Amino acid sequence: QSALTQPASVSGSPGQSIAISCTGTDSDVGAYDYVSWYQQHPGKAPQLIIYDVSNRPLGVSNRFSGSKSGNTASLTISGLQAEDEADYYCGSSSISRPMVFGTGTKVTVL
Amino acid sequence: EVQLVESGGGLVQFGGSLRLSCAASVFTFNNYWINWVRQAPGKGLEWVANISPDGSRNDYMDSVRGRFTISRDNTKNSVYLQMNSLRVDDTAVYYCATAVSPGKLDYWGQGTLVTVSS
């Protein structure tokens, strides 16, 4: 039961846009449009920021957007702000289990 | 808004048992699937188990199947994770999280730390 693959780290300057990839297989990311993204600040619980590939829950900034092509999903953060510095995890339903998470990406605001 | 509070974590020896609880403050608790997700120190998120709104269905990750049991009591708005035969690699913060639809964990508790010593 392998995790989805994410880059270990991504960085950008304030105001820039960054993208985080999440690569899975035909059995998870490629099989369903049930991809979600979570933001986790140090010592805090994860928070849902994107669901069903590209939908934002109420209250989440529109600077966060999601997309998917084949077996790879992406999270884009535009207008990068200091408060966006956190760990980000993708998640997906899969054929073999209800949920599989990505390896996680540390976002650094330079 | 949904609030989840986990409890029951602590220090336990290899081979021991713990029972985690997740108490929810939500009027429609029995509309939600409940998941347990864990995070080992300095590591990523790992889905552990889930249970259906009426408690009739559940699923587990391979490494805990047969050792962990998830259950719920909708009269108490609570979900439980009975963890037996604990191993050192079960050491983690355990979070409970709600899900109304697949692949979408929308509300999370603050987590409870389980430490298994050898």
Side-chain angles (χ1 to χ4, degrees):
Chain A
Q1 295 182 335
S2 299
L4 309 176
T5 301
Q6 297 180 231
S9 62
V10 173
S11 61
S13 299
Q16 284 187 331
S17 292
I18 62 170
I20 302 169
S21 60
C22 169
T23 302
T25 68
D26 292 340
S27 297
D28 38 62
V29 175
Y32 308 103
D33 284 337
Y34 293 138
V35 176
S36 50
W37 289 89
Y38 304 86
Q39 178 191 61
Q40 186 179 34
H41 287 107
K44 300 295 187 182
Q47 178 190 354
L48 177 71
I49 56 172
I50 294 288
Y51 67 95
D52 294 351
V53 176
S54 60
N55 293 301
R56 281 185 308 276
L58 288 175
V60 172
S61 171
N62 60 8
R63 298 185 299 102
F64 295 96
S65 61
S67 62
K68 191 186 89 165
S69 178
N71 295 340
T72 299
S74 297
L75 172 72
T76 299
I77 309 175
S78 53
L80 198 62
Q81 299 180 1
E83 67 207 47
D84 300 331
E85 189 159 290
D87 293 326
Y88 291 82
Y89 295 91
C90 60
S92 174
S93 290
S94 85
I95 291 173
S96 60
R97 52 185 160 152
M99 190 73 174
V100 58
F101 288 103
T103 50
T105 299
K106 181 177 181 60
V107 168
T108 301
V109 181
L110 301 172
Chain B
E1 182 176 323
V2 176
Q3 287 192 327
L4 302 172
V5 178
E6 301 93 338
S7 61
L11 177 63
V12 62
Q13 284 195 324
F14 171 84
S17 298
L18 275 179
R19 187 195 195 209
L20 305 184
S21 298
C22 170
S25 62
V26 56
F27 183 71
T28 55
F29 179 72
N30 56 3
N31 284 354
Y32 292 88
W33 285 76
I34 304 295
N35 296 259
W36 286 97
V37 175
R38 70 185 183 184
Q39 187 170 35
K43 302 296 184 183
L45 302 175
E46 186 173 49
W47 177 83
V48 175
N50 72 352
I51 188 165
S52 61
D54 66 357
S56 64
R57 289 168 288 165
N58 54 57
D59 201 358
Y60 302 90
M61 64 181 296
D62 287 349
S63 66
V64 308
R65 189 174 288 114
R67 299 189 298 121
F68 290 10
T69 302
I70 190 171
S71 61
R72 68 190 294 160
D73 184 342
N74 285 345
T75 66
K76 296 182 178 178
N77 278 16
S78 292
V79 168
Y80 310 99
L81 188 67
Q82 177 67 43
M83 304 187 298
N84 299 330
S85 303
L86 281 162
R87 312 193 296 219
V88 173
D89 61 359
D90 293 320
T91 294
V93 174
Y94 284 73
Y95 297 99
C96 62
T98 61
V100 236
S101 56
K104 177 189 175 190
L105 304 187
D106 29 21
Y107 296 102
W108 296 65
Q110 85 291 348
T112 187
L113 176 62
V114 172
T115 303
V116 184
S117 67
S118 55

